[in-house]
Amino acid sequence: MFLKMNNLLFSLHLLLLASSLSSSLAKGGAFQSLLPSDFNDRINVSRARRLLDEVESRARVDLAQGYMTNSDLERVIKEFGQRCSNISRIYSIGKSVNGVPLWAIEISDKPGEEEPEPAFKYIGNVHGDEPVGRELLIYLANWLCHNYLKDPLATLIVENVHLHLLPSMNPDGFSLRKRGNANNIDLNRDFPDQFFFANNDEDSRQPETKAIMNWLRDIQFTASATLHGGALVANYPWDGTIDKRTYYYGCPDDDAFRFMASIYSHSHYNMSSSKEFIDGITNGAAWYPLYGGMQDWNYIHAGCFELTLEISDNKWPNAAELPILWKYNKMSMLNLVASLVKTGVHGRIYSSGDGRPLPGFITVSGINYTVRAGGTFADYHRLLAARDRYEVVATMPGYKSKNTSIWLDEGAMTLDFVLDPEVSIKGSVLQNVYDCNCDSKSKLEFVQFLWGSHFEVFFIFIVILGFLCLLFQRRKKVKQSTGAKRTVVV
Ligand SMILES: *[C@@H]1O[C@H](CO)[C@@H](O)[C@H](O)[C@H]1NC(C)=O
Ligand SMILES: *[C@@H]1O[C@H](CO)[C@@H](O)[C@H](O)[C@H]1NC(C)=O
Ligand SMILES: *[C@@H]1O[C@H](CO)[C@@H](O)[C@H](O)[C@H]1NC(C)=O
Ligand SMILES: *[C@@H]1O[C@H](CO)[C@@H](O)[C@H](O)[C@H]1NC(C)=O
Ligand SMILES: *[C@@H]1O[C@H](CO)[C@@H](O)[C@H](O)[C@H]1NC(C)=O
Ligand SMILES: [Zn+2]
């Protein structure tokens, strides 16, 4: 009797332990430190281990109830693709270790087509034992499908953003009910890292990680977020520090990231009232440094501003709580995507010569980061926090760079650039004349006439033309900054 009672108490103790473990391993906490210091002294460890496994697996079987299995998820995604076919496209970005396709949904009024619009991605279930995100992304897709042309926010997103959803990056980990993939690798430690060079070995990279890296080569994402569980906070770069110590280590776009993270936490039911994290947001390295994470890699190598969102304290809550978790996160998820349209500086870069789009680069004075314009439309989308003054610079090899000072409030601004071809030393005179956006045909005849007459006369004309060009460009620059459109923040 006594023995039985003792066993029961012991199991209870383990259950408590198991639940505290599962809620504190969010970004990757240390397992050992959570065990009571006298744990080893009091019990037979190997028996305890076995019991712990039994208790955990029993708990997990129960927990999985009400969650989609991997085949459920595949079926649901394909059904969605049919039900919502005119604003979505279903595709796979690769396969897991065990050969499960990594299904993605693109939501847009022109899915699969290139447009001068920003793209956003949400990735769920990076850690196999954090399944809330994979469920919420299906809620999100369905909500957008139901509300397109009914709700202004849904319509804005569908018509102005290409939204890509990858509900599960780690289906194998999910079916095994564990954090890592089938090879037991933590996928959020498997990316190339700016400080931890051991991760640079291409051959040892997991198929799920490779799939994400190839995806980002295909599609230029402006921003993204991955959904995790085990805490309630919006985490932003950097995640790692150079010396592996824990302190605030901001990236060049710290202001923009804090702004983005705040959009999520402030739109959430109660993330911003966190007692642990001021305003419900945190710099990754200030929380705890990690290496090989997906977030920092996105910002450094893919031009994509990525957040790591911890969306529920409980990693694997009872499925009955999913509708309420959707309710808590819904506006955050929508507003974060919509912020790509409602905030920041957007525009296109053109050549003054023939008006063709130039896939150039956008930098902002004082921020050591370059945003690439799209290859086809030369559209750029530069996320920035509101500020009195930014100097935005557009560059393109072979063209003279141009800069404009802007004042940015919380609304978005449209700012196009028209770049003039670089003047080569030979024939510079002629090219300069062409750069002027006057009537080019008559100009050509005029120049030809001049070549035939006295050179002094020609020179005087060039000086006058040069002066006119200067005036014209000044006017154009003023037009650029005042002609900006600001969208209303809802
Ligand atoms: C611990 O338990 C295992 C399995 O029940 C048993 O084989 C082993 O002898 C025990 N060790 C000690 C030190 O009691
Ligand atoms: C999608 O279909 C609905 C209903 O037929 C239609 O109203 C809507 O215009 C379509 N949207 C697009 C982007 O084609
Ligand atoms: C948010 O609300 C949930 C549900 O009421 C609660 O469990 C959680 O502790 C709250 N978190 C914060 C940070 O207030
Ligand atoms: C800007 O960032 C790059 C890495 O992207 C770095 O190599 C360079 O030293 C930085 N420049 C300054 C002035 O901080
Ligand atoms: C911006 O343009 C002005 C003159 O047009 C130039 O003096 C300045 O260096 C430029 N700034 C940058 C960052 O290119
Ligand atoms: Zn996680």
Side-chain angles (χ1 to χ4, degrees):
M1 185 61 195
F2 170 76
L3 242 168
K4 240 184 159 175
M5 194 62 190
N6 206 1
N7 260 346
L8 194 78
L9 280 173
F10 182 64
S11 297
L12 265 173
H13 178 72
L14 284 175
L15 248 176
L16 283 172
L17 200 74
S19 68
S20 84
L21 272 180
S22 73
S23 68
S24 52
L25 268 172
K27 236 173 94 190
F31 186 92
Q32 280 81 6
S33 65
L34 291 161
L35 300 171
S37 52
D38 59 345
F39 188 79
N40 288 353
D41 304 339
R42 280 198 293 132
I43 56 167
N44 178 329
V45 176
S46 78
R47 193 167 126 265
R49 167 77 48 204
R50 218 189 47 223
L51 262 171
L52 181 64
D53 286 349
E54 277 168 17
V55 170
E56 277 203 324
S57 71
R58 216 176 318 137
R60 280 164 176 175
V61 168
D62 294 337
L63 281 175
Q65 263 179 24
Y67 280 87
M68 293 176 282
T69 63
N70 286 334
S71 44
D72 289 340
L73 179 63
E74 176 167 345
R75 187 174 38 76
V76 162
I77 288 175
K78 287 181 172 167
E79 269 171 19
F80 176 87
Q82 287 178 348
R83 181 160 37 85
C84 205
S85 62
N86 70 346
I87 59 160
S88 75
R89 169 176 75 103
I90 306 303
Y91 63 104
S92 159
I93 62 159
K95 279 185 175 166
S96 70
V97 172
N98 290 339
V100 180
L102 305 172
W103 291 110
I105 304 172
E106 178 185 356
I107 297 178
S108 156
D109 58 344
K110 296 202 177 87
E113 275 180 51
E114 260 192 90
E115 291 186 277
E117 289 179 3
F120 187 99
K121 71 181 190 303
Y122 271 122
I123 299 181
N125 201 201
V126 179
H127 291 135
D129 59 350
E130 295 165 18
V132 173
R134 69 188 239 151
E135 299 275 343
L136 296 201
L137 290 180
I138 299 299
Y139 277 90
L140 176 65
N142 283 329
W143 187 88
L144 286 169
C145 186
H146 291 149
N147 290 285
Y148 173 54
L149 298 177
K150 294 187 196 116
D151 178 283
L153 194 53
T155 310
L156 176 118
I157 289 172
V158 171
E159 292 183 348
N160 299 286
V161 179
H162 284 252
L163 174 62
H164 296 254
L165 311 174
L166 178 68
S168 180
M169 177 181 167
N170 186 4
D172 296 348
F174 174 81
S175 60
L176 295 164
R177 314 274 185 264
K178 63 174 193 186
R179 180 180 178 87
N181 70 350
N183 293 332
N184 220 4
I185 300 294
D186 185 335
L187 298 175
N188 201 31
R189 305 289 185 276
D190 196 40
F191 284 81
D193 191 271
Q194 59 177 331
F195 305 124
F196 184 67
F197 303 115
N199 265 20
N200 290 352
D201 180 16
E202 272 284 340
D203 298 332
S204 59
R205 188 115 43 236
Q206 297 303 304
E208 294 88 351
T209 316
K210 282 185 189 159
I212 299 284
M213 290 171 72
N214 289 332
W215 193 20
L216 270 70
R217 276 179 206 117
D218 284 353
I219 301 173
Q220 194 178 343
F221 290 102
T222 298
S224 66
T226 56
L227 305 174
H228 291 252
L232 195 63
V233 68
N235 176 105
Y236 56 88
W238 300 119
D239 259 343
T241 53
I242 190 158
D243 54 8
K244 302 199 160 39
R245 286 188 301 125
T246 303
Y247 53 89
Y248 195 110
Y249 189 43
C251 72
D253 274 297
D254 199 49
D255 288 343
F257 271 110
R258 282 214 312 271
F259 177 56
M260 261 178 90
S262 304
I263 289 173
Y264 200 91
S265 75
H266 286 186
S267 307
H268 187 275
Y269 170 69
N270 65 357
M271 189 181 276
S272 62
S273 49
S274 166
K275 286 181 187 69
E276 194 181 354
F277 304 101
I278 299 162
D279 227 20
I281 67 174
T282 188
N283 171 261
W287 186 11
Y288 62 87
L290 69 83
Y291 300 88
M294 179 152 56
Q295 172 190 274
D296 290 1
W297 183 83
N298 263 265
Y299 179 66
I300 296 169
H301 296 281
C304 177
F305 286 45
E306 179 161 287
L307 298 177
T308 306
L309 302 169
E310 304 283 354
I311 56 170
S312 66
D313 280 317
N314 190 346
K315 283 189 175 208
W316 201 312
N318 193 299
E321 287 177 41
L322 290 170
I324 193 129
L325 284 168
W326 161 240
K327 213 171 117 189
Y328 290 174
N329 285 281
K330 175 183 152 189
M331 285 320 292
S332 297
M333 293 172 87
L334 293 168
N335 284 340
L336 186 61
V337 179
S339 74
L340 259 60
V341 179
K342 291 181 172 186
T343 74
V345 186
H346 309 258
R348 294 175 66 180
I349 309 174
Y350 301 97
S351 160
S352 67
D354 48 12
R356 127 190 103 87
L358 299 175
F361 304 91
I362 296 290
T363 52
V364 174
S365 302
I367 302 178
N368 184 15
Y369 192 77
T370 302
V371 165
R372 195 160 49 90
T376 308
F377 296 102
D379 56 316
Y380 73 89
H381 308 279
R382 182 60 171 95
L383 299 180
L384 286 168
R387 203 171 86 184
D388 289 352
R389 190 174 164 278
Y390 282 111
E391 193 182 41
V392 185
V393 187
T395 57
M396 172 76 192
Y399 289 79
K400 283 184 263 179
S401 54
K402 231 177 226 182
N403 68 50
T404 306
S405 284
I406 57 160
W407 168 78
L408 189 68
D409 63 17
E410 298 234 326
M413 173 181 256
T414 304
L415 177 64
D416 290 341
F417 286 92
V418 181
L419 302 188
D420 303 323
E422 198 79 66
V423 192
S424 62
I425 298 171
K426 240 167 77 185
S428 65
V429 171
L430 263 175
Q431 270 211 337
N432 257 336
V433 175
Y434 280 127
D435 281 353
C436 216
N437 266 355
C438 330
D439 180 358
S440 58
K441 186 141 176 263
S442 62
K443 214 163 51 193
L444 182 71
E445 284 159 6
F446 179 62
V447 170
Q448 276 163 349
F449 158 78
L450 279 174
W451 273 122
S453 71
H454 299 291
F455 198 75
E456 308 92 80
V457 180
F458 171 75
F459 199 79
I460 289 162
F461 268 104
I462 289 303
V463 170
I464 291 167
L465 268 175
F467 182 70
L468 285 175
C469 260
L470 213 92
L471 269 182
F472 180 78
Q473 284 190 340
R474 286 195 153 212
R475 240 188 42 221
K476 215 161 50 180
K477 195 181 271 177
V478 170
K479 232 172 73 195
Q480 267 175 7
S481 32
T482 52
K485 168 193 97 199
R486 282 169 190 277
T487 44
V488 182
V489 195
V490 182

